[in-house]
Amino acid sequence: MIWAAVLSGAAGCFALKLAGLSVPRRWLDHPRIQRVAVLLPVALLAALAATLTFADGQHLTIDARAAGVAAAAVAIRLRAPFLAVVAVAAATAALVRLV
């Protein structure tokens, strides 16, 4: 049963990839499609970060991870380097967990 699910998932992914390659070029050259294509990875990464920050199984939680993300947002707003943003977020989450 598991192999059937894996094989059907692989076939679905292949079909989706093939459908993407079959899109006419004039549709891809449309300015609206190009704007969406540029912003789509950012939206997906933001959704992933929000899910990992505020979800605990099936429940919505606000804990030290949220404080770390908030501190990272402030550091990004202050135009801190990437490593500093990561360090600030990790230190903030660690401090909140200690308290």
Side-chain angles (χ1 to χ4, degrees), residues 19-31:
L21 292 175
S22 302
V23 173
R25 186 72 193 166
R26 61 182 170 88
W27 290 7
L28 297 176
D29 290 338
H30 194 274

Side-chain angles (χ1 to χ4, degrees), residues 25-96:
R25 186 72 193 166
R26 61 182 170 88
W27 290 7
L28 297 176
D29 290 338
H30 194 274
R32 181 178 295 170
I33 297 297
Q34 289 182 349
R35 283 193 308 260
V36 169
V38 168
L39 294 176
L40 199 57
V42 175
L44 289 173
L45 286 175
L48 178 65
T51 301
L52 292 175
T53 301
F54 298 112
D56 185 19
Q58 296 290 326
H59 304 286
L60 179 67
T61 60
I62 295 177
D63 56 6
R65 295 175 295 176
V69 170
V74 171
I76 289 172
R77 181 73 179 151
L78 295 174
R79 298 187 181 268
F82 177 72
L83 289 179
V85 171
V86 172
V88 165
T92 302
L95 286 175
V96 170

